[in-house]
Amino acid sequence: MGRSTPIEPLSQPLADGVVALRLRCASDLHAIQAAGRDPDTVRWLDDPPMDDAARRTSLSRVEEAWRTGRAAPLVIADALTDEPVGIINLQFRDDDVATVAYSVFPARRGHGIAPRAVRLFASWALHELGLRQVLLEADEDNAASIRVAEKCGFRRTGSRTEEQGDGSRTLLVFARATARTSM
């Protein structure tokens, strides 16, 4: 899945004065790798923690994601210090629809970073990339992500069950669409 055309990487960060969404750089990789081992991160995200091999190829994989139109991965940074405080990504289903996924690093959770980042990213995706719809999927037990979806103007549109090695889980599906699109 993905877009039929490449995505032009950001030339300037998306920022609101508190957070900035910017391209990933080598100096971010240690923080991303460390946060990926956090038990809550492992619990809610599908991606395995970054190991040393993945760290070595991370920047080239990010460039490839943009170039192929598969995804638009960014770092969530503190707007004042540029310190990485999380990651956010659009995963394209097609030319018009993408799913947003994000993770705030453990030390910065509970400070309103996720809603700020998701709002910025969804607005950019809908208005600058011309997407018809941005989806956000949250495990039905992930109250924090459900609150983020609601705070950011996403409406619940349904759910889906995902099979896992040890059973299954239910994901709630939220959507935010352009004004010209009905859901």
Side-chain angles (χ1 to χ4, degrees):
M1 291 194 278
R3 287 175 67 101
S4 59
T5 58
I7 308 148
E8 188 66 34
L10 295 177
S11 59
Q12 295 291 317
L14 304 172
D16 70 358
V18 176
V19 300
L21 309 182
R22 61 167 174 75
L23 298 175
R24 187 178 296 185
C25 59
S27 62
D28 299 324
L29 298 180
H30 177 74
I32 293 169
Q33 185 175 25
R37 292 186 186 101
D38 169 66
D40 282 336
T41 301
V42 172
R43 178 179 180 197
W44 301 124
L45 294 182
D46 294 334
D47 297 332
M50 182 186 289
D51 59 16
D52 290 335
R55 183 175 173 167
R56 283 190 295 277
T57 61
S58 176
L59 296 179
S60 62
R61 286 183 290 113
V62 164
E63 289 172 9
E64 180 184 345
W66 287 89
R67 186 176 55 254
T68 62
R70 188 178 69 250
L74 295 172
V75 164
I76 306 168
D78 182 294
L80 299 177
T81 66
D82 198 41
E83 172 192 0
V85 297
I87 54 175
I88 193 163
N89 189 15
L90 274 180
Q91 299 159 332
F92 291 89
R93 294 184 176 204
D94 58 35
D95 287 331
D96 297 321
V97 179
T99 300
V100 63
Y102 60 91
S103 178
V104 174
F105 298 163
R108 299 303 290 269
R109 291 183 187 141
H111 298 279
I113 290 169
R116 287 177 172 280
V118 170
R119 261 189 227 105
L120 280 170
F121 211 30
S123 292
W124 174 76
L126 292 167
H127 301 293
E128 299 300 320
L129 294 181
L131 294 184
R132 178 178 50 82
Q133 190 175 60
V134 176
L135 304 175
L136 189 157
E137 297 180 335
D139 188 290
E140 67 182 344
D141 295 326
N142 189 339
S145 281
I146 292 168
R147 280 193 308 275
V148 168
E150 293 166 345
K151 286 180 181 180
C152 294
F154 285 75
R155 291 190 352 222
R156 184 169 170 195
T157 60
S159 64
R160 69 181 181 87
T161 301
E162 186 175 84
E163 296 302 321
Q164 296 181 309
D166 58 350
S168 64
R169 69 177 182 163
T170 299
L171 297 172
L172 304 182
V173 180
F174 296 85
R176 185 168 153 197
T178 58
R180 65 184 183 276
T181 305
S182 61
M183 291 188 286

